[in-house]
Amino acid sequence: MNASSGFFPSAEPLKYAGPDSRDPFSFRWYDKDRVVLGKRMEDHLRFAVAYWHSFTWPGGDPFGGETFLRPWMHGADEMTLARAKADVAFDLFRILDVPFFAFHDRDIAPEGASLAESNANVRAIADIFARKMETSKTKLLWGTANLFSNRRFMSGAATNPDPDVFAYGAAQVKNVLEITHELGGENYVLWGGREGYETLLNTDLKRELDQLGRFLNMVVEHKHKIGFKGTILIEPKPQEPTKHQYDFDVSTVYGLLCRAGLEKEVKLNIEANHATLAGHSFEHEIAMAAALGVFGSIDMNKGDAQSGWDTDQFPTNVEDTALAFYEILRAGGYTTGGTNFDAKVRRQSIDPEDLVIAHAAAMDVCARALLVAADMIEDGALQKAVDDRYAGWDKPENKAMLEPGASLDSIAARVLAANLDPQPRSGRQERLEALAGSYFR
């Protein structure tokens, strides 16, 4: 196993202690070897730690600077600091006993004076990851390129009006996609952090959408060229930092994929807080992705009901999380995806132990939610209610209305001949909400 970095007060891996435990350095509900619906809990949940929030975010906000002052954040030699950060990261992975982690290229290594230098920095740290992964259970869930932080990307990357920026972004993605492949990553994520616009007064929508479609196609083409077997994922977000993002929500991204001819090649990584910013529930976005055949993975977090921005908090609400996992289970569960904690401790939580406890508590929320969702699946009452509501469509004469050859003429003739006079039926929403609530008691 990797040696302790010395950053965390205790380097001992967390253990399952049961629901009665009040020890914050133990799991109450996450029992990784417990079998749920025929699969180990660890294999259902596939937890991942996000490198950016956990090790890179300094704790700043729009009204104040950094609060964390981590030992790897300041020093003369940025690559030395990046190596120290990698040691701490794999230490946390070991303490939490998680199977995966995820990163952006700019999280793990500093940007150099040129793309060649930047790529070399990323590859040097990736080589460290590769060595650490030889003795660690933690593997790579996904990698991605940061095409939004540097000022060159202030008008987007794939959708930038400057073709040189488009080219730079494409070259940066090439490097990270290849590194993700070499590290055995199970997915590659594209998040269009600034693929949108601030005003239509300086925006050519068709041109930018055409650029975005070609960029996505080149990523998929390169995936096949290098033999990457993982999944290409897009992460929707409605706005922030731009006024409007082209990857607004699941349905919008699906439309973009169809326009680019990629609906069979690319799936979605859905974030809870992004879903609510788009005016949806998390479970809606998961269910919609499953219905469209593009569900891939999730970023697990939550927003704040009193804040209108992406606060990226760790999940604490079991009921909301259970409804999300219910939809994931209904969709058949993850394939290459997982539960990535795209969440950060609050800027006042400056102690190293806060980072451990935040992840452990969130893992427990997800584990308990999974158990509730599994009860919903096994009981079958919720699904039966849905099946009963649509049962009329199983009759041959009703199925025929959706088949090729059916027409308004034939349907109208049938209605007149049978003297159909349909009456509304109750959707029984309150009954079903009460039923859903009963699984939590």
Side-chain angles (χ1 to χ4, degrees):
M1 298 294 288
N2 293 296
S4 170
S5 65
F7 178 71
F8 297 102
S10 173
E12 293 301 314
L14 305 189
K15 303 295 185 183
Y16 171 72
D20 294 332
S21 174
R22 291 297 180 267
D23 178 7
F25 295 100
S26 68
F27 296 118
R28 298 179 60 217
W29 297 97
Y30 180 55
D31 181 2
K32 67 178 183 179
D33 292 320
R34 179 173 177 176
V35 176
V36 180
L37 299 179
K39 186 187 296 186
R40 294 172 62 250
M41 186 176 279
E42 181 179 65
D43 297 329
H44 270 296
L45 293 169
R46 290 168 62 86
F47 286 130
V49 172
Y51 213 94
W52 51 100
H53 288 324
S54 299
F55 311 108
T56 305
W57 186 58
D61 66 17
F63 303 97
E66 62 184 339
T67 59
F68 292 155
L69 302 178
R70 308 298 197 197
W72 58 85
M73 290 182 173
H74 296 282
D77 183 0
E78 290 186 298
M79 283 301 291
T80 298
L81 298 177
R83 295 183 186 96
K85 180 165 55 173
D87 289 340
V88 174
F90 273 82
D91 202 9
L92 181 63
F93 304 158
R94 181 179 55 79
I95 292 169
L96 294 173
D97 194 26
V98 291
F100 296 105
F101 73 106
F103 72 87
H104 298 80
D105 51 354
R106 297 296 173 256
D107 305 325
I108 66 173
E111 191 161 8
S114 65
L115 179 63
E117 185 178 332
S118 297
N119 287 350
N121 289 345
V122 174
R123 183 162 291 282
I125 300 302
D127 289 343
I128 293 174
F129 287 173
R131 291 194 295 273
K132 288 180 176 293
M133 290 164 68
E134 291 175 357
T135 56
S136 170
K137 71 172 282 182
T138 304
K139 307 304 179 185
L140 180 59
L141 185 65
W142 50 262
T144 187
N146 180 329
L147 304 182
F148 49 87
S149 292
N150 190 289
R151 67 192 297 271
R152 72 173 61 90
F153 297 123
M154 65 182 182
S155 299
T159 59
N160 200 289
D162 183 344
D164 286 349
V165 176
F166 179 101
Y168 194 103
Q172 194 174 328
V173 167
K174 175 182 181 294
N175 185 60
V176 187
L177 178 56
E178 290 173 356
I179 287 173
T180 299
H181 174 44
E182 292 163 16
L183 289 175
E186 301 207 13
N187 309 271
Y188 183 85
V189 170
L190 293 157
W191 178 55
R194 297 189 188 276
E195 309 296 1
Y197 65 81
E198 300 293 345
T199 174
L200 284 172
L201 297 176
N202 65 5
T203 302
D204 184 332
L205 287 173
K206 184 180 184 305
R207 182 184 291 274
E208 294 197 359
L209 290 172
D210 287 345
Q211 290 175 206
L212 180 57
R214 185 64 197 121
F215 193 99
L216 295 176
N217 266 282
M218 286 191 293
V219 173
V220 171
E221 289 163 8
H222 197 66
K223 162 193 166 171
H224 291 304
K225 178 180 179 180
I226 65 176
F228 179 53
K229 301 302 182 184
T231 305
I232 302 296
L233 300 170
I234 292 179
E235 181 170 325
K237 188 177 184 181
Q239 78 280 329
E240 189 202 60
T242 63
K243 176 180 179 179
H244 171 79
Q245 304 243 151
Y246 297 130
D247 50 0
F248 188 93
D249 61 5
V250 166
S251 297
T252 305
V253 173
Y254 184 73
L256 291 173
L257 292 176
C258 289
R259 188 176 189 271
L262 294 173
E263 66 272 20
K264 301 298 184 184
E265 286 278 3
V266 178
K267 297 188 183 299
L268 272 60
N269 181 61
I270 302 165
E271 179 178 316
N273 203 173
H274 292 180
T276 52
L277 285 174
H280 305 307
S281 67
F282 191 23
E283 62 268 23
H284 163 86
E285 288 288 85
I286 294 170
M288 182 61 74
L292 295 172
V294 290
F295 174 69
S297 192
I298 68 169
D299 274 0
M300 175 58 75
N301 58 23
K302 72 169 188 175
D304 189 298
Q306 294 175 296
S307 300
W309 62 86
D310 193 5
T311 54
D312 286 326
Q313 296 171 241
F314 281 91
T316 58
N317 187 302
V318 174
E319 294 193 17
D320 288 347
T321 308
L323 293 175
F325 276 110
Y326 177 63
E327 296 300 336
I328 292 173
L329 291 177
R330 290 183 69 208
Y334 299 123
T335 52
T336 60
T339 306
N340 177 54
F341 288 114
D342 189 352
K344 53 196 177 192
V345 295
R346 300 301 87 190
R347 70 191 303 265
Q348 298 178 54
S349 301
I350 61 177
D351 294 339
E353 66 180 23
D354 295 328
L355 198 55
V356 176
I357 293 171
H359 282 89
M363 292 165 74
D364 268 341
V365 167
C366 292
R368 191 174 184 186
L370 175 69
L371 294 174
V372 173
D375 284 345
M376 293 176 174
I377 294 290
E378 287 187 311
D379 181 64
L382 287 170
Q383 185 60 52
K384 183 178 185 303
V386 174
D387 293 342
D388 290 347
R389 190 178 187 210
Y390 293 92
W393 284 99
D394 292 331
K395 295 180 179 179
E397 62 271 25
N398 296 326
K399 284 184 178 180
M401 289 194 291
L402 304 180
E403 296 295 329
S407 67
L408 293 183
D409 286 336
S410 63
I411 292 173
R414 176 173 159 255
V415 171
L416 293 172
N419 194 27
L420 293 183
D421 183 23
Q423 299 300 312
R425 300 176 182 177
S426 174
R428 298 183 173 182
Q429 180 174 333
E430 291 75 19
R431 178 183 297 199
L432 293 174
E433 288 173 342
L435 174 59
S438 70
Y439 295 101
F440 297 94
R441 293 188 285 272

